[in-house]
């Protein structure tokens, strides 16, 4: 190694080691929780397969408001925040609830779309909700508005630094040799084996980790999201994406004075049926499933997300905002109208977990995330071995006794 490169690699090794020691445990937690959620949808569907299905009937299915009324009559489940409907006559409807004053969210329930009978709460929902909070916010107070979001985002930035410095440090002399890059030397023992596993497996997962971190930053920093929108979306789409509350306030202004109750300043619960009718007119019945979500704050604009029948991706969806008072469609965002860049932005979650590549991609991303603790262990062992080697390499201290 040349004299110029030696101090550079020594400095990179210091950066790599210090960042790794400081954040290895956090990365391991994020990796394991991410791997746990890789097949969340499939696991929940398997656990609740009987609950999610009903016997199709010749009688008409209830409207969203009728389902809510039947549910409220059956017991005190909490304030309804969203209703999920499906075009499949054999699929149960799902009702979700708003957070309580203490910040907790009750479990959702499946209901029979024909008679409103409560089928039960989905198994696994609370478990995965906790895992998701640990993955995104480390279970710290404030959830998405707390310090946990910034910690995981900063850890993602540091992981990018780790990937780059690790790649530079392991750059082999025979860079064109595929074997040098991708085949670990399992015949080694001790420090040599740890280094081989750390470097080679790190090369395998490096592209996956880069994708995970680059997309994960989308959920951590608003400046990152704004930059991605500016780069990939059309200007009018960027403005709408970064100002999601504008349509709601506009809808609220139009809704004022619609009835005497609101004129007196009394809050009237928003209903779903007018929104549902307007949505069906927009889609002409060509939908697979739809999720109607009430506004979290003041306003009358209900968000409707819908997925086609053959969709397996979260990102392939249409989105509408419809005034619950007037039934007017405030905004319409159809997937077919998006540019390539806007489809990439819409698919950040699918890209983040590898779903964009189908189940093989999800499996590959799950295995890569599950391997994160391997780098924690091998990195720590290499650090301890390096310290021991340096200690043994130090020259003995000269004796201070005269004549010796």
């Amino acid at each position: 190694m040349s004299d110029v490169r030696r101090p550079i690699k020594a400095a990179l090794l210091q950066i790599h080691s210090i960042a790794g020691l400081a954040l290895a445990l956090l990365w391991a937690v994020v990796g394991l929780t991410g791997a746990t959620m890789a097949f969340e949808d499939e696991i929940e569907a398997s656990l609740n397969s009987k609950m999610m299905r009903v016997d199709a009937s010749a009688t008409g299915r209830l409207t969203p408001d009728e389902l809510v009324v039947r549910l409220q009559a059956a017991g005190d489940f909490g304030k309804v925040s969203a209703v999920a409907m499906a075009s499949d006559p054999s699929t149960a409807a799902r009702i979700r609830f708003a957070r309580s004053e203490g910040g907790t969210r009750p479990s959702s329930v499946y209901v029979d779309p024909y008679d409103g009978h409560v089928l039960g709460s989905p198994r696994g929902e609370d478990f995965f909700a906790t895992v998701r909070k640990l993955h995104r916010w480390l279970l710290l107070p404030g959830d998405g508005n707390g310090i946990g979001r910034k910690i995981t985002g900063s850890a993602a930035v540091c992981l990018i630094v780790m990937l780059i410095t690790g790649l530079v440090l392991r750059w082999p002399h025979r860079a064109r040799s595929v074997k040098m890059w991708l085949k670990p030397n399992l015949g080694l023992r001790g420090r040599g084996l740890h280094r081989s596993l750390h470097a080679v497996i790190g090369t395998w997962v490096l592209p996956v980790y880069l994708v995970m971190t680059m997309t994960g930053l989308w959920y951590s920093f608003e400046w990152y999201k704004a930059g991605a929108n500016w780069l990939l979306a059309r200007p009018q789409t960027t403005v709408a994406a970064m100002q999601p509350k504008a349509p709601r306030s506009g809808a609220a202004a139009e809704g004022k004075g619609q009835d005497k109750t609101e004129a007196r300043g009394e809050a009237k619960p928003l209903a779903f049926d007018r929104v549902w009718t307007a949505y069906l007119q927009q889609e002409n019945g060509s939908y697979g499933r739809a999720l109607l979500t009430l506004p979290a704050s003041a306003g009358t604009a209900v968000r409707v997300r819908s997925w086609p029948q053959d969709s397996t991706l979260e990102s392939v969806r249409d989105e509408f905002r419809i005034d619950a008072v007037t039934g007017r469609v405030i905004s319409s965002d159809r997937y077919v109208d998006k540019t390539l860049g806007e489809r990439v932005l819409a698919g950040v979650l699918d890209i983040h977990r590898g779903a964009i590549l189908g189940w093989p991609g999800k499996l590959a991303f799950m295995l890569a995330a599950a391997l994160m603790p391997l780098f924690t262990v091998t990195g720590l062992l290499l650090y301890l071995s390096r310290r021991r080697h340096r200690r043994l390499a130090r020259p003995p201290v000269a004796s201070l006794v005269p004549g010796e």
Side-chain angles (χ1 to χ4, degrees), residues 341-358:
E342 290 165 357
R343 292 188 179 187
V344 171
L345 295 176
V348 166
L349 179 59
D350 289 327
I351 298 171
H352 182 71
R353 59 181 186 164
I356 197 74
L357 302 176

Side-chain angles (χ1 to χ4, degrees), residues 12-93:
L12 292 178
L13 180 59
Q14 284 291 99
I15 295 173
H16 193 85
S17 301
I18 293 173
L21 290 172
L23 298 170
L25 183 59
L26 191 153
W27 288 328
V29 170
V30 173
L32 288 176
T33 51
T36 303
M37 294 187 296
F39 287 93
E40 175 184 353
D41 296 338
E42 290 80 359
I43 293 173
E44 286 197 350
S46 177
L47 291 175
N48 303 288
S49 57
K50 295 182 179 179
M51 191 183 306
M52 296 168 61
R53 308 298 295 179
V54 297
D55 294 330
S57 173
T59 60
R61 285 178 287 181
L62 300 176
T63 66
D65 284 342
E66 290 172 337
L67 288 174
V68 172
V69 170
R70 300 280 181 100
L71 178 68
Q72 292 174 340
D76 184 14
F77 291 89
K79 181 181 178 182
V80 173
S81 64
V83 177
M85 308 285 286
S87 61
D88 185 351
S90 299
T91 300

Side-chain angles (χ1 to χ4, degrees), residues 6 26 31 60 119 168 176 192 237 256 263-264 275 312 366 369 373 396:
R6 185 176 288 108
L26 191 153
L119 302 174
V168 174
R176 295 183 180 181
T237 307
K256 290 181 180 179
R264 291 195 302 267
V275 174
T312 58
M366 182 195 74

Side-chain angles (χ1 to χ4, degrees), residues 255-268:
K256 290 181 180 179
Q258 292 293 328
D259 55 46
K260 295 181 180 180
T261 302
E262 290 187 357
R264 291 195 302 267
E266 299 175 6
K268 179 180 179 180

Side-chain angles (χ1 to χ4, degrees), residues 243-391:
Q243 296 179 352
K245 294 183 180 180
R248 298 184 184 183
S249 61
E254 291 187 13
K256 290 181 180 179
Q258 292 293 328
D259 55 46
K260 295 181 180 180
T261 302
E262 290 187 357
R264 291 195 302 267
E266 299 175 6
K268 179 180 179 180
L270 296 181
F272 288 102
D273 279 2
R274 187 163 291 178
V275 174
W276 183 240
T277 301
Y279 161 73
L280 291 178
Q281 292 174 352
Q282 288 289 315
E283 292 287 65
N284 296 320
S286 59
Y287 72 99
R289 56 189 176 95
L291 177 64
L292 289 71
T293 306
L294 293 175
S297 56
T300 59
V302 174
R303 183 178 67 179
V304 182
R305 288 180 174 180
S306 68
W307 294 263
Q309 295 181 3
D310 58 348
S311 173
T312 58
L313 297 176
E314 173 68 20
S315 58
V316 182
R317 65 173 185 262
D318 297 335
E319 184 166 332
F320 306 90
R321 291 190 183 275
I322 302 175
D323 193 314
V325 176
T326 65
R328 184 177 70 87
V329 178
I330 300 170
S331 65
S332 174
D333 185 15
R334 296 182 181 276
Y335 186 78
V336 295
D337 297 331
K338 293 181 181 293
T339 64
L340 176 60
E342 290 165 357
R343 292 188 179 187
V344 171
L345 295 176
V348 166
L349 179 59
D350 289 327
I351 298 171
H352 182 71
R353 59 181 186 164
I356 197 74
L357 302 176
W359 73 261
K362 293 174 69 172
L363 179 61
F365 275 52
M366 182 195 74
L367 294 176
L371 283 172
M372 186 62 78
L374 171 69
F375 302 104
T376 301
V377 174
T378 55
L380 179 59
L381 291 174
L382 286 173
Y383 173 77
L384 295 176
S385 175
R386 191 160 55 249
R387 282 182 59 89
R388 184 169 58 252
H389 178 74
R390 288 175 180 173
R391 186 169 59 251

